[in-house]
Structures are given as structure tokens and as C-alpha cells.
């Protein structure tokens, strides 16, 4: 099923399904990532961990695959919604006065055998509607491309998770996480990982971390 979309405004990023609506903005997390008041001149000269760089490269590979699918997905989705708009979704009607009167006359023993006419009509109509809706999905190609899109979306999300959960030991490592955040968008539940990174680097710089 189609999901709500989040349009990335920065750096000309495409419109894609983001993992979640962010409570914290990109600039807010950037400030948290770079919030340790240690100048670059005082930073340790240790080289950046290769592991995070590799994880960033893996993320970019999966993310670019998702971007490549997006135009086809958007076109199929547009065709699907245009055709589906012509369908009229059924609504279950109320019982007529005669049907309601007949229902009130039923004994407890007869209730199980009562066939609600408005429900029977609705069930038949909704089956026909669902059949027509799925035919539109197949005809427009939306079903196939949406499955591929959602599978790739999951791969990108997993690659981003590996980046945020990998311990950062240098400011270069933090910059990796910031770049991935700008592209994908971590949510606030991931902030604890970043705060652990900041505390780890601060301790290496000799700062007091309670």
C-alpha cells in the first residue's frame, strides 16, 4: 500500500518514503552531533575508523538504488490513483423500516439464523470493489514496482541503522553519521547512540563527562 511521502528539501534530494516523520529537524540533530565544544585544532590526530566509512559507502549504494526506482514507482503510483479515483467505494446502508421491524420481532433462538440483508449486499459490493482495485494495481504496474520499492526501502533503512549504531570514535566518524542523517533522517530514538558517541569522544579529549 502506498505510504505517506516526506519531500527532502535539502540538496535537491528526491521525494521518497522516509523511515518516519522526524520530531527533531536535520539542523537540530546536526547541532547535537557537533555540540562538543572542542576545536578541530585540539582534536586527536587519530585517523577515522574505516568501518564507518565502509558502512557509509554501503548505505550510499542502497540509497542510490532506491532513488533509481523512484521515477518508475511515482509514475505507476500516479496511474494507479488516477484509475482508482473512478471507482466508487461501497458504503453499507441502513436497514429499511420493514427490515428493522422484522429484526425486532426475532426471538433469541432466531438471531443466529438472521441474515442481515444490508450486510450481505455490502459484502458482495466490497468484494467487487476489491477485485476491481487489484485489477487496476496490476494493469498500472503499481503492484510489482511498489513491492520492489518497499523491499529496497527496507534495505536502505537497515543500512542507515548500521551506520547510526556503529560507535563513533572521531569527529570524522560523527561527520559520517551527519551525512547519512541528511540523506535519510534518523529519528529521535537514535539520539542515544549519538550522545554515546559524543561522550566517548569528549572523554578522549579529556573532558569531564558525568
Amino acid at each position: 500500500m502506498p505510504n505517506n511521502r516526506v519531500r527532502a528539501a535539502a540538496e535537491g534530494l528526491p521525494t521518497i518514503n522516509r523511515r518516519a516523520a522526524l520530531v527533531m529537524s536535520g539542523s537540530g540533530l546536526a547541532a547535537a552531533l557537533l555540540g562538543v565544544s572542542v576545536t578541530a585544532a585540539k582534536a586527536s590526530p587519530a585517523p577515522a575508523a574505516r568501518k564507518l566509512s565502509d558502512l557509509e559507502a554501503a548505505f550510499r549504494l542502497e540509497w542510490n538504488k532506491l532513488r533509481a526506482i523512484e521515477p518508475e514507482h511515482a509514475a505507476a503510483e500516479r496511474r494507479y490513483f488516477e484509475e482508482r479515483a473512478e471507482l466508487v467505494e461501497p458504503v453499507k446502508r441502513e436497514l429499511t423500516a420493514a427490515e428493522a421491524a422484522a429484526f425486532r420481532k426475532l426471538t433469541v433462538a432466531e438471531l443466529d439464523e438472521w441474515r442481515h440483508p444490508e450486510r450481505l449486499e455490502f459484502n458482495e459490493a466490497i468484494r467487487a470493489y476489491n477485485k476491481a482495485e487489484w485489477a487496476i494495481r496490476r494493469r498500472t504496474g503499481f503492484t510489482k514496482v511498489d513491492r520492489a520499492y518497499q523491499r529496497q526501502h527496507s534495505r536502505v533503512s537497515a543500512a542507515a541503522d548500521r551506520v547510526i549504531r556503529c560507535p563513533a570514535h572521531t569527529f570524522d566518524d560523527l561527520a559520517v553519521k551527519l551525512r547519512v542523517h541528511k540523506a535519510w533522517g534518523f529519528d529521535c530514538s537514535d539520539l542515544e547512540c549519538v550522545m554515546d558517541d559524543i561522550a566517548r569522544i569528549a572523554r578522549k579529549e579529556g573532558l569531564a563527562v558525568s
Side-chain angles (χ1 to χ4, degrees):
M1 292 185 294
N3 300 322
N4 289 335
R5 299 297 189 259
V6 177
R7 182 168 300 277
E11 301 177 2
L13 297 181
T15 303
I16 61 176
N17 267 342
R18 300 305 180 198
R19 193 180 63 181
L22 298 177
V23 176
M24 177 178 290
S25 68
S27 59
L29 184 52
L33 282 170
L34 303 178
V36 180
S37 58
V38 179
T39 64
K42 294 181 180 179
S44 298
R50 183 63 197 168
K51 185 173 183 180
L52 261 168
S53 297
D54 290 342
L55 290 176
E56 180 185 18
F59 164 79
R60 293 288 173 182
L61 179 64
E62 298 298 344
W63 186 59
N64 286 332
K65 289 179 182 178
L66 185 67
R67 295 178 67 186
I69 297 172
E70 187 185 28
E72 182 184 1
H73 181 265
E77 185 180 52
R78 184 168 53 252
R79 292 193 301 269
Y80 162 73
F81 278 113
E82 287 174 352
E83 291 198 31
R84 201 189 74 170
E86 299 177 5
L87 294 179
V88 178
E89 189 169 359
V91 177
K92 187 168 62 175
R93 68 172 177 81
E94 299 290 334
L95 288 172
T96 65
E99 291 167 345
F103 181 76
R104 288 193 294 270
K105 293 178 182 179
L106 295 175
T107 65
V108 173
E110 293 172 325
L111 285 175
D112 287 341
E113 298 180 1
W114 169 256
R115 302 186 67 185
H116 294 267
E118 84 291 1
R119 294 183 189 174
L120 295 174
E121 293 169 12
F122 175 78
N123 290 343
E124 183 177 351
I126 200 67
R127 280 194 295 269
Y129 174 87
N130 289 338
K131 183 177 180 180
E133 191 268 342
W134 274 105
I136 291 172
R137 281 178 171 268
R138 291 190 296 271
R139 185 165 60 251
T140 58
F142 182 60
T143 295
K144 182 178 180 179
V145 70
D146 190 53
R147 286 173 180 167
Y149 185 90
Q150 297 305 330
R151 283 195 300 268
Q152 187 57 34
H153 186 276
S154 295
R155 294 188 184 105
V156 179
S157 182
D161 283 343
R162 286 191 287 271
V163 170
I164 193 65
R165 302 195 187 287
C166 180
H169 297 278
T170 68
F171 286 108
D172 285 338
D173 288 349
L174 283 179
V176 168
K177 294 192 177 188
L178 180 56
R179 287 194 296 270
V180 173
H181 167 70
K182 286 182 176 180
W184 187 247
F186 299 119
D187 60 37
C188 287
S189 65
D190 297 317
L191 186 57
E192 185 176 351
C193 295
V194 176
M195 298 310 294
D196 288 342
D197 292 335
I198 293 173
R200 185 182 303 109
I201 296 172
R203 283 192 294 267
K204 289 175 67 175
E205 295 299 327
L207 299 179
V209 179
S210 59

Coordinates of all heavy atoms in Angstrom, one line a residue, residues 3 5 15-18 66-67 69-71 73-74 144-154:
N3 N 2.4 4.6 0.9 CA 2.6 5.3 2.2 C 2.7 6.7 2.0 O 2.8 7.2 0.9 CB 4.0 4.8 2.8 CG 4.0 3.3 3.0 OD1 3.0 2.8 3.4 ND2 5.1 2.7 2.8
R5 N 4.4 10.3 2.0 CA 5.8 10.7 1.5 C 6.3 11.9 2.2 O 5.5 12.8 2.6 CB 5.8 11.0 0.0 CG 5.3 9.8 -0.9 CD 6.2 8.7 -0.7 NE 5.9 7.6 -1.7 CZ 5.3 6.6 -1.4 NH1 4.9 6.4 -0.2 NH2 5.1 5.7 -2.3
T15 N 11.9 12.9 -3.7 CA 10.8 12.6 -2.8 C 10.8 11.1 -2.6 O 10.6 10.4 -3.6 CB 9.5 13.0 -3.4 OG1 9.5 14.4 -3.6 CG2 8.4 12.7 -2.4
I16 N 11.0 10.6 -1.4 CA 11.0 9.1 -1.2 C 10.3 8.9 0.1 O 10.1 9.8 0.9 CB 12.4 8.5 -1.2 CG1 13.3 9.0 -0.1 CG2 13.0 8.6 -2.6 CD1 14.6 8.4 0.0
N17 N 9.9 7.6 0.3 CA 9.3 7.3 1.6 C 10.4 7.3 2.7 O 11.3 6.6 2.7 CB 8.8 5.8 1.6 CG 7.4 5.8 1.2 OD1 6.7 6.8 1.3 ND2 6.9 4.6 0.8
R18 N 10.3 8.3 3.6 CA 11.3 8.3 4.7 C 10.9 7.4 5.8 O 9.7 7.0 5.9 CB 11.5 9.7 5.3 CG 11.9 10.7 4.2 CD 13.2 10.3 3.5 NE 13.6 11.2 2.5 CZ 14.5 10.9 1.6 NH1 15.0 9.7 1.5 NH2 14.8 11.8 0.7
L66 N 17.5 3.0 -4.4 CA 16.1 3.4 -4.1 C 15.8 4.6 -5.0 O 14.7 4.7 -5.6 CB 16.0 3.7 -2.7 CG 14.6 4.1 -2.2 CD1 13.7 3.0 -2.3 CD2 14.7 4.7 -0.8
R67 N 16.7 5.5 -5.1 CA 16.5 6.7 -6.0 C 16.3 6.4 -7.4 O 15.5 7.0 -8.1 CB 17.7 7.7 -5.8 CG 17.9 8.3 -4.5 CD 19.1 9.2 -4.4 NE 18.9 10.4 -5.2 CZ 19.8 11.3 -5.4 NH1 21.0 11.1 -4.9 NH2 19.6 12.4 -6.1
I69 N 14.8 3.7 -8.5 CA 13.5 3.1 -8.6 C 12.4 4.1 -8.6 O 11.3 4.0 -9.1 CB 13.2 2.0 -7.5 CG1 14.2 0.9 -7.6 CG2 11.8 1.5 -7.5 CD1 14.2 -0.1 -6.5
E70 N 12.7 5.3 -7.9 CA 11.6 6.2 -7.6 C 10.8 6.8 -8.8 O 9.6 6.8 -8.7 CB 12.2 7.4 -6.8 CG 11.1 8.3 -6.3 CD 11.7 9.6 -5.6 OE1 12.8 9.9 -6.0 OE2 11.0 10.1 -4.8
P71 N 11.5 7.1 -9.9 CA 10.7 7.7 -11.0 C 9.6 6.7 -11.5 O 8.5 7.0 -11.8 CB 11.7 8.0 -12.1 CG 13.0 8.2 -11.3 CD 12.9 7.2 -10.2
H73 N 8.4 4.2 -9.8 CA 7.4 4.0 -8.8 C 6.4 5.1 -8.8 O 5.2 4.9 -8.6 CB 8.1 3.9 -7.4 CG 7.2 3.7 -6.3 ND1 6.7 4.7 -5.5 CD2 6.6 2.5 -5.8 CE1 5.9 4.2 -4.6 NE2 5.9 2.9 -4.7
A74 N 6.9 6.4 -8.9 CA 6.0 7.5 -8.8 C 5.0 7.5 -10.0 O 3.8 7.9 -9.9 CB 6.8 8.8 -8.8
K144 N 3.7 -4.5 -8.8 CA 5.1 -5.0 -8.9 C 6.2 -4.0 -8.5 O 7.1 -4.3 -7.7 CB 5.3 -5.4 -10.4 CG 6.7 -6.0 -10.6 CD 6.8 -6.5 -12.1 CE 8.2 -7.1 -12.4 NZ 8.3 -7.5 -13.8
V145 N 6.0 -2.8 -9.0 CA 7.1 -1.8 -8.7 C 7.0 -1.4 -7.2 O 8.1 -1.1 -6.6 CB 7.0 -0.6 -9.6 CG1 5.7 0.3 -9.3 CG2 8.2 0.3 -9.5
D146 N 5.8 -1.4 -6.6 CA 5.7 -1.0 -5.2 C 6.4 -2.0 -4.3 O 7.0 -1.7 -3.3 CB 4.3 -0.8 -4.8 CG 4.1 -0.2 -3.5 OD1 4.7 0.9 -3.2 OD2 3.4 -0.7 -2.6
R147 N 6.2 -3.3 -4.7 CA 6.9 -4.3 -3.9 C 8.4 -4.2 -4.0 O 9.1 -4.3 -3.0 CB 6.5 -5.7 -4.4 CG 5.1 -6.1 -4.0 CD 4.7 -7.4 -4.7 NE 3.3 -7.8 -4.4 CZ 2.7 -8.8 -5.0 NH1 3.2 -9.4 -6.0 NH2 1.4 -9.1 -4.6
A148 N 8.9 -3.9 -5.2 CA 10.4 -3.7 -5.3 C 10.8 -2.5 -4.5 O 11.9 -2.5 -3.9 CB 10.7 -3.6 -6.8
Y149 N 10.0 -1.4 -4.6 CA 10.4 -0.2 -3.9 C 10.4 -0.4 -2.4 O 11.3 0.1 -1.7 CB 9.3 0.9 -4.2 CG 9.6 2.3 -3.7 CD1 10.4 3.2 -4.4 CD2 9.2 2.6 -2.4 CE1 10.7 4.4 -3.9 CE2 9.5 3.9 -1.9 CZ 10.2 4.8 -2.7 OH 10.5 6.0 -2.1
Q150 N 9.4 -1.1 -1.9 CA 9.3 -1.3 -0.4 C 10.5 -2.2 0.1 O 11.0 -2.0 1.1 CB 8.0 -1.9 0.0 CG 6.8 -1.0 -0.3 CD 6.9 0.4 0.4 OE1 7.5 0.5 1.4 NE2 6.3 1.4 -0.3
R151 N 10.8 -3.2 -0.8 CA 12.0 -4.1 -0.4 C 13.3 -3.3 -0.3 O 14.1 -3.4 0.6 CB 12.1 -5.2 -1.4 CG 11.2 -6.4 -1.2 CD 11.6 -7.6 -2.0 NE 11.7 -7.3 -3.5 CZ 10.7 -7.5 -4.3 NH1 9.5 -8.0 -3.9 NH2 10.9 -7.3 -5.6
Q152 N 13.5 -2.4 -1.3 CA 14.7 -1.6 -1.4 C 14.7 -0.5 -0.2 O 15.7 -0.2 0.4 CB 14.8 -0.9 -2.7 CG 16.1 -0.1 -2.9 CD 17.3 -1.0 -2.7 OE1 17.3 -2.2 -3.1 NE2 18.4 -0.5 -2.2
H153 N 13.5 0.0 0.1 CA 13.4 0.9 1.2 C 13.8 0.3 2.5 O 14.5 0.9 3.3 CB 11.9 1.4 1.3 CG 11.7 2.4 2.3 ND1 11.5 2.1 3.7 CD2 11.6 3.8 2.2 CE1 11.3 3.3 4.3 NE2 11.4 4.3 3.5
S154 N 13.5 -1.0 2.7 CA 13.9 -1.7 3.9 C 15.4 -1.9 3.9 O 16.0 -1.8 5.0 CB 13.2 -3.1 4.0 OG 11.8 -2.9 4.1

